Amino acid sequence: MAKDVEGAEHGEFAAKDYHDPPPTPLFDADELTKWSFYRAVIAEFIATLLFLYITVLTVIGYKSQSATDQCGGVGILGIAWAFGGMIFVLVYCTAGISGGHINPAVTFGLFLARKVSLLRAVLYIVAQSLGAICGVGLVKAFQKTLYDEYGGGANTLAPGYSKGTGLAAEIIGTFVLVYTVFSATDPKRNARDSHVPVLAPLPIGFAVFMVHLATIPITGTGINPARSFGAAVIYNQDKAWDDHWMFWLGPFIGAAIAAFYHQFVLRAGAIKALGSFRSNA
């Protein structure tokens, strides 16, 4: 059985049965001359718009139904399925175009891992944020009365929880998501476990689903700054802005930890860099 060997034996590196793409340049001006770059930005905008439209509409529908019937509506389980299912669908649709980020925290984590350039990361985050605003705007346009009455799908810290607990929930939840993204798209995993077909959008969607089950009672589950930002902008009430900082800070911290853990611990990036330095010395 062939085994990939990442370390050096007797000064020679064994051949690998997978290929790690080279680190993306921090700033690649050539991207601005390519239609594929703008197409990817548009895909992120549309995907995030659709994501917020479906999920926030689900949240509003559940709250309006449960207000008159405690057993009515899809429940927390249904809301979690809506978020996880839409991520599965949209990542599947856009992965070949933009990478299917649909989340500034995912983009930030991939940027730290040198998988996207700074320019692409910034424009993706802008497109995702604008798409989220437009998606929630459509919900309000179609269901204005219910939207205003039931909180607009905005993320808020639930009563009884401290800000520290809310921040920790966002950090851990985003870590789970971004760690799953790295693992599902790892070229080494695809080569090593080629006998086990992995449809990357599936575990990513399930990660979103599971995190929502755990953290909806705490923060309503952000783990996506664009999702929280779009809902806060359209709802635009003090309640939506009071703790809004944690829905940016938490996901970015969680994404950074996931990127470090995957790249430098699981993939031994620091050891590889040190070995390369010694071999060149």
Side-chain angles (χ1 to χ4, degrees):
M1 180 182 294
K3 295 183 179 179
D4 55 284
V5 180
E6 294 178 309
E9 293 183 355
H10 308 295
E12 296 181 356
F13 286 92
K16 298 187 295 186
D17 60 354
Y18 66 94
H19 173 68
D20 275 320
T24 302
L26 182 63
F27 184 83
D28 186 2
D30 289 341
E31 287 184 312
L32 295 173
T33 65
K34 299 177 181 178
W35 164 244
S36 60
F37 174 70
Y38 298 101
R39 180 182 64 185
V41 173
I42 294 171
E44 286 294 309
F45 171 83
I46 296 298
T48 314
L49 183 156
L50 294 174
F51 176 61
L52 267 292
Y53 171 72
I54 295 297
T55 55
V56 172
L57 201 57
T58 301
V59 171
I60 299 300
Y62 161 66
K63 288 186 175 181
S64 65
Q65 290 176 316
S66 61
T68 56
D69 180 4
Q70 290 295 324
C71 296
V74 296
I76 290 179
L77 182 64
I79 292 174
W81 271 121
F83 278 88
M86 278 304 291
I87 287 296
F88 168 73
V89 169
L90 294 171
V91 171
Y92 181 84
C93 291
T94 60
I97 301 171
S98 66
H101 297 192
I102 323 172
N103 184 335
V106 171
T107 300
F108 180 66
L110 294 174
F111 165 71
L112 293 179
R114 300 287 303 278
K115 305 217 181 261
V116 295
S117 67
L118 176 61
L119 178 63
R120 184 178 290 263
V122 170
L123 288 185
Y124 271 21
I125 292 173
V126 171
Q128 291 157 358
S129 299
L130 293 176
I133 293 171
C134 292
V136 182
L138 286 177
V139 176
K140 184 174 183 178
F142 296 154
Q143 300 276 0
K144 187 176 188 310
T145 301
L146 294 177
Y147 179 89
D148 292 333
E149 183 177 355
Y150 294 107
N155 286 122
T156 57
L157 183 63
Y161 292 98
S162 67
K163 296 182 187 296
T165 300
L167 181 63
E170 290 296 308
I171 292 173
I172 296 171
T174 310
F175 173 86
V176 172
L177 170 59
V178 178
Y179 173 40
T180 304
V181 170
F182 276 108
S183 298
T185 59
D186 189 343
K188 179 179 179 181
R189 180 189 184 95
N190 292 336
R192 183 190 63 207
D193 300 333
S194 59
H195 61 289
V196 181
V198 177
L199 180 62
L202 185 59
I204 295 171
F206 261 102
V208 172
F209 167 69
M210 297 304 296
V211 171
H212 273 75
L213 286 181
T215 59
I216 282 177
I218 304 173
T219 61
T221 309
I223 69 170
N224 184 334
R227 175 261 186 272
S228 302
F229 181 68
V233 167
I234 299 300
Y235 187 56
N236 199 28
Q237 300 291 327
D238 290 342
K239 183 179 180 181
W241 293 112
D242 286 343
D243 301 309
H244 186 69
W245 59 271
M246 74 173 56
F247 298 107
W248 285 88
L249 182 61
F252 275 25
I253 292 175
I257 296 173
F260 177 84
Y261 175 63
H262 185 269
Q263 294 296 104
F264 292 99
V265 178
L266 298 186
R267 294 300 303 275
I271 296 176
K272 292 178 187 177
L274 180 60
S276 177
F277 174 77
R278 287 178 173 174
S279 65
N280 293 329

